[in-house]
Amino acid sequence: MADTIVVLDFGSQYTQLIARRVREMHVYCEIFPWDTSQIQIMKLNPKGFILSGGPASVYTENAPALAPFILNACLPILGICYGMQILAHYLGGKVTSSLACEYGLAEVTELCSNPLLPAPSLTVWMSHGDRLESLPQGFVSLASSSNSPISAMGDISRRLYGVQFHPEVRHTALGKQLLENFVFKICGVTPDWTPENIIEQTVHSIREQVGQNRVISAVSGGVDSSVSTALVYRAIGSQLDAVFVDTGLLRKNEVGQVETAFGKHIGLSLHTVHAKKDFFSALEGVIEPEQKRKIIGGMFIHLFEKEAARIGNPGFLVQGTIYPDVVESSAPERNKAERIKTHHNVGGLPERMRFKLVEPLRYLFKDEVRQIGESLGLPAELVWRQPFPGPGLAVRCLGMVTPERVDRLQHADDIFLSELTEEGLINKKPNWEDGLISQAFSVLLPVRSVGVMGDQRTYQEVVALRAVTTEDFMTADWAHIPHQVLARVSNRIVNEVKGVNRVVYDITSKPPATIEWE
């Protein structure tokens, strides 16, 4: 079992970033709601705890609490924002409402030598309305800012620390080094969460889970399902049957590309189910995105059950669920963050189905999935494929999903991606600093606008272009594509795609938007 850091989630939208930063250090990290049982958490034998931020005030009724076993474990603790306040509150410190809230960048100054802070002065990201007025017994103030006299605290002998700011966000310049100090210097963790170890552990878990049973894999053509299938094939070989469903909602020429890649590089032949008519029929008249997702999830299971009967009724279904899918689909009662949307791989499945799920990537972030894909020897065209939602173009074709509209979207999307690729703007390797595009796609909007072509009035649909830069897909910024490239893409789309007379560019970050439109 890899050395583990446990993150307790008190409701912060940054919680997943904490885990992401720890994983970057090749250290396993798992998130639990603040009220998770002692048995569930301590069975991981954690080396330390990180307490996340959150929107509550520690002194209000029904505020999220700190379980006594966390303190009684005598393990290192790092509290972040609300996490610092709850730690101080439970140990006898005083937390009050601040006269001036502190949001955005701030400068903090170190007050005494300590193993946590990486420099005497730090530019940090603050986001709080409460502050610590008095320290618990045994603690000292480690740093201060103009608005927070106690911006960091520590009981060095007991290895208990808290910071009022957010080291997990990129705006905190030395946040990575601070977290490394906690994980390595204070917790004494060994960085053994590597692709090779992940593969070894996952292969072992898959074999234990499925035994001698046959398994069917749902291949979508995306990175996640491809790596999941390759991992399961590594674990059980010929026990696996891979099924690729041609829904009619894939990108242009994608069916042939995926079939070739799997056969040539993985040595696993796909059974392709041609089901375009079935999916378009099921989606007829449906506009609401959650309903689309659930219909498509149900259709997938129906088709897989038919395929399962054909190959001998396997008991398990492989899916490419990854950690952000789980986080964004989690209901408030299961996870302290708000549900953003239902993902096809998670919430879009019917409650009753005959398969048990095999989800080898369920606790991995996207870049970890890619690293594993490379270690498995998968080809670059699969590993670095543009991310694609489980429901396919149904959630990029806003409004009615019809063969004509999807064909229109496929054509526009192909133009956009080909132009970005030609310009060398699509990121082929994970490098957050270089600003290359991590994900790009087109969206067909359910609105029409007036235009003029050849001296004649047109009343046609609008294509929105979306391109983002990100390293973890939990947060993202819109890509600053050169104007001349956008102009060329727009010109090609309105001239080559029948039924489109206007192109717009989405300049919204995540948050507040999600990367996908639906």
Side-chain angles (χ1 to χ4, degrees):
M1 181 70 184
D3 281 358
T4 300
I5 297 292
V6 164
V7 175
L8 291 181
D9 182 14
F10 289 92
S12 172
Q13 293 297 333
Y14 295 145
T15 300
Q16 291 74 40
L17 285 180
I18 302 172
R20 181 66 196 85
R21 301 299 169 238
V22 175
R23 297 276 190 94
E24 286 175 351
M25 307 172 201
H26 298 297
V27 172
Y28 184 66
C29 183
E30 194 166 330
I31 300 169
F32 292 95
W34 58 267
D35 54 357
T36 302
S37 70
Q38 178 176 354
I39 293 175
Q40 190 173 352
I41 289 176
M42 297 308 292
K43 71 181 181 182
L44 293 180
N45 192 26
K47 295 288 186 178
F49 298 103
I50 299 178
L51 314 180
S52 84
S57 295
V58 298
Y59 47 78
T60 58
E61 187 177 1
N62 299 322
L66 183 62
F69 76 86
I70 301 295
L71 295 172
N72 295 337
C74 297
L75 293 170
I77 298 174
L78 172 63
I80 295 175
C81 199
Y82 181 89
M84 168 179 162
Q85 295 165 9
I86 195 73
L87 180 62
H89 179 70
Y90 271 69
L91 292 173
K94 184 179 180 181
V95 178
T96 63
S97 177
S98 178
L99 294 177
C101 297
E102 198 170 16
Y103 298 103
L105 292 175
E107 295 293 324
V108 301
T109 303
E110 185 180 62
L111 300 177
C112 64
S113 177
N114 64 88
L116 180 68
L117 300 181
S121 179
L122 299 171
T123 300
V124 302
W125 184 260
M126 294 282 195
S127 181
H128 64 97
D130 293 337
R131 70 181 189 180
L132 183 58
E133 290 289 343
S134 63
L135 290 162
Q137 186 175 358
F139 281 77
V140 295
S141 181
L142 303 181
S144 66
S145 72
S146 58
N147 191 53
S148 298
I150 307 174
S151 294
M153 68 176 192
D155 183 331
I156 296 173
S157 64
R158 288 196 288 170
R159 301 182 295 171
L160 305 178
Y161 296 88
V163 293
Q164 188 58 74
F165 51 89
H166 288 272
E168 70 272 26
V169 303
R170 291 294 180 187
H171 301 82
T172 297
L174 298 177
K176 177 182 178 182
Q177 290 89 325
L178 185 152
L179 291 171
E180 286 177 344
N181 286 345
F182 176 71
V183 170
F184 296 126
K185 292 183 179 180
I186 296 169
C187 296
V189 166
T190 300
D192 52 6
W193 182 246
T194 63
E196 293 73 23
N197 286 343
I198 295 171
I199 291 171
E200 182 181 348
Q201 293 176 25
T202 304
V203 165
H204 176 73
S205 296
I206 293 168
R207 288 171 178 166
E208 276 200 336
Q209 181 184 5
V210 307
Q212 298 301 312
N213 290 287
R214 294 201 67 78
V215 179
I216 190 170
S217 179
V219 177
S220 70
V223 177
D224 306 328
S225 70
S226 298
V227 174
S228 292
T229 300
L231 266 173
V232 175
Y233 187 60
R234 168 76 64 93
I236 61 173
S238 61
Q239 289 174 241
L240 175 68
D241 290 279
V243 176
F244 182 33
V245 177
D246 178 8
T247 63
L249 302 169
L250 300 171
R251 288 168 286 203
K252 191 173 181 180
N253 301 323
E254 192 159 28
V255 173
Q257 293 169 0
V258 172
E259 288 175 331
T260 300
F262 264 83
K264 180 178 178 182
H265 296 281
I266 302 178
L268 176 62
S269 61
L270 297 179
H271 176 69
T272 302
V273 179
H274 299 285
K276 295 180 183 180
K277 291 183 179 179
D278 295 331
F279 277 87
F280 281 116
S281 176
L283 291 167
E284 186 174 358
V286 177
I287 295 175
E288 208 280 319
E290 286 290 283
Q291 191 179 356
K292 289 180 184 178
R293 290 175 178 273
K294 291 184 180 299
I295 287 172
I296 291 169
M299 283 291 296
F300 268 110
I301 293 302
H302 172 69
L303 289 170
F304 284 127
E305 287 179 340
K306 287 179 65 176
E307 287 302 304
R310 182 185 63 82
I311 63 177
N313 292 313
F316 293 87
L317 169 64
V318 179
Q319 283 207 305
T321 308
I322 64 172
Y323 210 13
D325 296 341
V326 176
V327 169
E328 291 190 348
S329 296
S330 295
E333 65 270 13
R334 295 184 58 213
N335 186 291
K336 302 312 170 187
E338 186 71 16
R339 175 188 290 157
I340 307 301
K341 61 188 175 185
T342 297
H343 280 265
H344 158 69
N345 282 347
V346 185
L349 299 177
E351 292 183 6
R352 299 180 65 183
M353 60 180 187
R354 70 177 66 169
F355 302 113
K356 295 178 181 177
L357 291 181
V358 178
E359 298 174 305
L361 310 179
R362 187 176 178 86
Y363 295 104
L364 300 182
F365 289 95
K366 178 72 74 174
D367 63 316
E368 292 174 317
V369 173
R370 295 191 194 278
Q371 291 170 18
I372 289 173
E374 286 192 321
S375 296
L376 288 168
L378 297 180
E381 57 264 33
L382 277 183
V383 174
W384 299 104
R385 199 174 193 85
Q386 280 282 295
F388 195 59
L393 295 181
V395 291
R396 292 179 180 173
C397 184
L398 277 59
M400 296 288 189
V401 181
T402 66
E404 180 186 33
R405 296 191 77 226
V406 170
D407 181 71
R408 189 172 295 154
L409 178 56
Q410 286 173 329
H411 194 173
D413 192 58
D414 185 61
I415 290 171
F416 187 31
L417 290 179
S418 65
E419 288 289 344
L420 294 178
T421 302
E422 183 71 21
E423 288 289 328
L425 295 174
I426 295 287
N427 205 352
K428 297 297 184 184
K429 295 286 182 180
N431 186 350
W432 185 79
E433 299 295 339
D434 62 21
L436 292 179
I437 295 168
S438 306
Q439 185 173 1
F441 55 91
S442 301
V443 180
L444 188 63
L445 303 184
V447 294
R448 294 178 181 270
S449 70
V450 174
V452 57
M453 292 181 179
D455 296 327
Q456 292 186 336
R457 177 186 186 273
T458 61
Y459 189 56
Q460 297 178 339
E461 291 192 297
V462 180
V463 165
L465 306 178
R466 178 71 158 151
V468 299
T469 58
T470 181
E471 66 165 2
D472 53 29
F473 292 86
M474 298 302 299
T475 62
D477 192 14
W478 61 277
H480 295 250
I481 298 173
H483 292 176
Q484 65 270 23
V485 177
L486 287 173
R488 189 164 64 248
V489 171
S490 175
N491 187 60
R492 284 193 61 190
I493 289 175
V494 296
N495 279 283
E496 298 176 29
V497 181
K498 185 179 180 181
V500 174
N501 68 354
R502 192 177 298 269
V503 176
V504 298
Y505 187 49
D506 182 351
I507 58 169
T508 320
S509 62
K510 175 186 178 179
T514 55
I515 294 176
E516 297 287 346
W517 277 49
E518 287 192 341

